[in-house]
Amino acid sequence: MMNFIAWLKTGFGKLVLATAGLLLLSTFGFYWLELNEGSNGGISNAFWWSIVTLTTVGYGDLVPATVPGRILGALVMISGIGLVTSLTGNMASMLVEQKAKKRKGLLTVKISDHVIILGWNDYAYGLVESLLKQTLIKTFNLVIVCEVTEQQRDEIAFKLELGDKLHFVHGSICKASVIARANPEFAKTVYVLCQDNLESKEADQQAIYAVLALRTMSPKVPIYAEIAKYENKEHLRRAGANEILVRGEISARMMGMMGINPSILSFFRNLLGIGNTGRLTFKPCSAEDKLKNWGELCLKTRQSEGTLPVAACKLGKNISLQDVMDESSALDQFIMELFENSGHPTALGLQGPEVKMNPPDSEPMAQYDALLIISAEGEADHD
């Protein structure tokens, strides 16, 4: 109610009130002067005449026959020219302003099941490209939260070519009020990246603050973070990040392996989807798959799909105290009652995921949720 009253006090609200008041007065005025005893009598006809006259359309199906009615019509037309023009002008201005605010990242994003990237660097283009290869473009929505110039923002939008699927939120990633505009509570995944425009120490500090803020607003959303310094990895994990990648950690190992055999680099490039041959993909296990062991499932997948399973996965799941406490233990029941009576949450966070590379052929698949497979050469990406 208070918001509505505040809106009425704005310039646009006053114009709407003035237009509604004029429409109401002209309706009853025309009805009283012209239609009260006529064959076209009816308040609906008077209302129709008021709208047509106010907007200066003038269909001519109803016209005033008396001098007072014509004077009323002239006043309504003169007033309508100014009011309707001002009203439409204000509406156009508001739409342009909304578009400008959206482009600048000043609006709250109102979507769900979206991907959020906090921070930006040159490697983020590869992240988005990889996400697009694994996701249907029609269901993909990306929100980028960062502090960049308007020119940089336009350059990012141009390179990504996502159109209306791309949203910006302008501001520091360590501020909860900024992150809240990205609607993290309904996000699918959140990535926290090192920011190129900051020193390593400050970039890691902002990443830690961002994860802490995210965990307060959205305890269950998966958070994957990148940091610059290895010593900050544990701090980020305690803040609530599910998985953490130290910048340069994997590339350093890759360069070491290249010294043994240069072809290893080519293999991993293809595996990550950078090359032209089969890449690593994720495939959920069906009920039929879980009835087999690893050897049988590998043989079936290889023969029917031409793909090569390389690992079995247990997906991460949110666990609580109830999952780890023994119901038959009096001490565990006492601890649970203490938590419940004090109002403290019993959630312990996300457990897993677990990956087992090339398990024995006899390994039963009933305990696993998905496979990591190398796709067949020439297999099409998602559109």
Side-chain angles (χ1 to χ4, degrees), residues 272-348:
L272 296 173
I274 301 173
N276 298 319
T277 57
R279 58 182 173 82
L280 197 64
T281 57
F282 180 84
K283 178 193 173 187
C285 288
S286 65
E288 183 184 352
D289 291 339
K290 292 189 177 187
L291 297 176
K292 295 179 169 56
N293 59 34
W294 173 255
E296 293 169 341
L297 185 57
C298 285
L299 183 62
K300 175 213 166 192
T301 306
R302 188 70 184 148
Q303 289 177 343
S304 61
E305 302 173 11
T307 57
L308 177 64
V310 292
C313 308
K314 294 179 184 178
L315 300 181
K317 64 177 183 177
N318 288 294
I319 62 171
S320 62
L321 279 175
Q322 288 90 335
D323 298 318
V324 298
M325 293 291 189
D326 185 359
E327 292 183 0
S328 61
S329 169
L331 178 60
D332 286 357
Q333 287 184 355
F334 176 70
I335 293 172
M336 281 300 306
E337 288 177 6
L338 284 178
F339 269 82
E340 290 171 358
N341 293 334
S342 63
H344 284 83
T346 58
L348 297 178

Side-chain angles (χ1 to χ4, degrees), residues 3 246 261 326:
N3 290 337
V246 182
N261 191 329
D326 185 359

